[in-house]
């Protein structure tokens, strides 16, 4: 059988899709499948609306769902059988016709500070480049004197803007930096307690049409990542928070237990952080409970 995999055309997106392709190749090797018996793959790349609109921040043009719209269409019209996404970019509400079918093992979920090439000290005379409200709120606690301005484009484009002197630093997801082999550019890794990650940061999601059986991804699909992701997405969904909202969630599984840390900013700019633990099987319920509890704190209840 042949499986067509849809991807954004950025270098990082292609690398992430190739991780899925390698998992399929491992499935073939593990089961001794060759020739017509093997699962064959074809990578189909495309630009999304989110890749084209670079003069406005995502919250002004429809949120990170703009990175998946064209890929969803490719699934629905049969041009692709599966699509690969950074799960943090996938809207919290997913169509029943296009379910999430597999979740990768989580890469390091933390955020990092990147300075211009050759620099060792943050220059507060220039802005920090960051388009995430979640990161911006938390950066200002860590660097009160810093100015933060949006920066758009793929990761290589952002790094070029940084090295050309437009920004003093960038705040980016460590997962993408590692997948691109750019760890040497990292100046500081923020602890989870310093900067709570976006929900599902570091996890890849494979999406497909309803009733499509991704049996060849059995070893790729990671239960820990899946359970953490569903709990984190439940928290954000219960707060009516989209991918660009100043909301963060991070879940950790251990045996049959799960602990979820939530971060929330209300309309007045007040920040709230709280944690909840319980049975792993109740992860989604716990995420929603934590959100409701924090909304109560924000409302003064």
């Amino acid at each position: 059988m042949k499986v067509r995999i849809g991807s954004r055309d950025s270098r990082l997106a292609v690398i992430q899709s190739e991780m899925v392709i390698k998992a399929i190749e491992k499935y073939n090797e593990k089961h001794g499948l060759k020739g017509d018996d093997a699962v064959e793959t074809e990578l189909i790349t495309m630009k999304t609306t989110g890749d084209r609109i670079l003069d406005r921040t995502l919250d002004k043009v429809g949120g990170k769902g703009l990175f998946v719209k064209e890929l969803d269409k490719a699934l629905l019209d049969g041009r692709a059988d599966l699509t690969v996404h950074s799960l943090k970019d996938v809207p919290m509400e997913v169509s029943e016709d296009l379910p999430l079918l597999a979740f990768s093992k989580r890469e390091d979920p933390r955020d990092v500070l990147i300075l211009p090439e050759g620099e060792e000290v943050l220059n507060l005379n220039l802005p920090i480049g960051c388009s995430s409200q979640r990161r911006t709120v938390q950066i200002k606690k860590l660097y009160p004197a810093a100015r933060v301005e949006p920066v758009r484009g793929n990761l290589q484009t952002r790094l070029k803007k940084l090295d050309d002197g437009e920004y003093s630093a960038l705040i980016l997801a460590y997962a993408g930096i590692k997948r691109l082999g750019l760890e040497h550019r990292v100046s500081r890794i923020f602890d989870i307690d310093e900067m709570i990650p976006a929900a599902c940061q570091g996890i890849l999601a494979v999406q497909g049409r309803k009733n499509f059986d991704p049996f060849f991804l059995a070893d790729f699909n990671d239960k820990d990542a899946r359970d953490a992701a569903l709990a984190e997405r439940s928290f954000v969904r219960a707060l009516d928070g989209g991918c660009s909202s100043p909301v963060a969630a991070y879940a950790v599984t251990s045996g049959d237990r799960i602990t979820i840390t939530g971060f929330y900013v209300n309309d007045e700019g007040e920040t709230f952080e709280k944690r909840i633990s319980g049975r792993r099987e109740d992860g989604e319920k716990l995420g929603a409970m934590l959100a409701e509890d924090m909304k109560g704190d924000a409302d003064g209840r």
Side-chain angles (χ1 to χ4, degrees):
M1 68 179 289
K2 185 173 187 177
V3 178
R4 296 158 300 170
I5 297 174
S7 169
R8 292 167 61 191
D9 66 358
S10 74
R11 185 177 166 199
L12 177 58
V14 168
I15 286 173
Q16 293 176 163
S17 295
E18 287 173 344
M19 290 168 62
V20 175
I21 290 171
K22 286 175 184 173
I24 296 173
E25 291 171 350
K26 284 185 179 179
Y27 176 87
N28 287 332
E29 292 172 11
K30 179 178 178 178
H31 296 275
L33 302 178
K34 297 179 181 179
D36 292 341
D37 294 327
V39 180
E40 184 185 348
T41 59
E42 178 186 357
L43 182 62
I44 300 168
T45 61
M46 62 194 77
K47 271 200 188 309
T48 66
T49 304
D51 295 313
R52 294 190 187 97
I53 301 176
L54 299 176
D55 59 342
R56 285 160 285 170
T57 56
L58 290 172
D59 56 311
K60 300 290 193 298
V61 292
K64 289 188 179 179
L66 295 178
F67 287 128
V68 304
K69 189 167 67 172
E70 281 80 3
L71 293 167
D72 284 354
K73 189 173 185 304
L75 286 173
L76 290 169
D77 64 22
R79 284 179 292 134
D81 301 302
L82 298 174
T83 53
V84 181
H85 307 284
S86 292
L87 186 50
K88 68 184 180 67
D89 292 339
V90 177
M92 295 300 147
E93 299 295 342
V94 175
S95 166
E96 290 183 4
D97 294 326
L98 298 176
L100 302 177
L101 301 176
F103 303 81
S104 74
K105 183 176 180 180
R106 191 171 212 163
E107 182 52 272
D108 195 315
R110 295 175 293 176
D111 289 300
V112 295
L113 178 80
I114 296 183
L115 297 177
E117 194 93 66
E119 297 292 331
E120 296 181 0
V121 179
L122 180 65
N123 176 9
L124 293 176
N125 293 318
L126 290 172
I128 294 175
C130 175
S131 298
S132 158
Q133 293 183 45
R134 167 192 67 84
R135 288 181 181 136
T136 298
V137 170
Q138 297 184 89
I139 289 167
K140 288 182 176 177
K141 285 188 173 182
L142 295 169
Y143 300 103
R147 181 164 45 100
V148 180
E149 292 185 1
V151 55
R152 292 290 316 281
N154 63 37
L155 201 145
Q156 283 78 15
T157 298
R158 296 184 193 198
L159 287 173
K160 185 176 188 309
K161 290 179 178 180
L162 173 70
D163 292 336
D164 285 348
E166 295 184 41
Y167 300 92
S168 62
L170 299 175
I171 309 292
L172 297 167
Y174 197 16
I177 295 296
K178 291 184 77 171
R179 287 172 183 147
L180 285 164
L182 295 173
E183 294 96 326
H184 64 282
R185 292 299 310 262
V186 174
S187 299
R188 175 178 178 179
I189 303 172
F190 297 105
D191 291 338
I192 297 294
D193 289 339
E194 292 179 308
M195 189 174 294
I196 301 172
C200 307
Q201 188 157 295
I203 301 172
L204 301 182
V206 180
Q207 193 170 15
R209 291 182 296 278
K210 185 169 61 175
N211 300 324
F212 185 93
D213 180 10
F215 60 89
F216 42 78
L217 293 177
D219 292 337
F220 174 86
N221 199 16
D222 186 86
K223 187 178 187 310
D224 288 340
R226 175 190 177 277
D227 290 349
L230 293 179
E232 292 167 17
R233 286 170 66 83
S234 175
F235 171 81
V236 177
R237 194 182 302 114
L239 285 170
D240 297 322
C243 295
S244 298
S245 300
V247 173
Y250 179 60
V252 178
T253 57
S254 178
D256 64 354
R257 304 288 292 177
I258 189 167
T259 299
I260 311 163
T261 301
F263 176 82
Y264 170 58
V265 183
N266 68 7
D267 293 339
E268 286 71 46
E270 298 173 291
T271 61
F272 300 86
E273 184 178 327
K274 212 160 192 174
R275 189 167 290 153
I276 192 171
S277 296
R279 296 188 306 171
R280 180 176 177 141
E281 62 191 58
D282 295 330
E284 287 187 86
K285 188 186 301 182
L286 290 167
M289 286 172 56
L290 179 62
E292 291 302 324
D293 193 20
M294 292 180 72
K295 279 197 283 189
D297 290 345
D299 294 339
R301 287 185 265 130

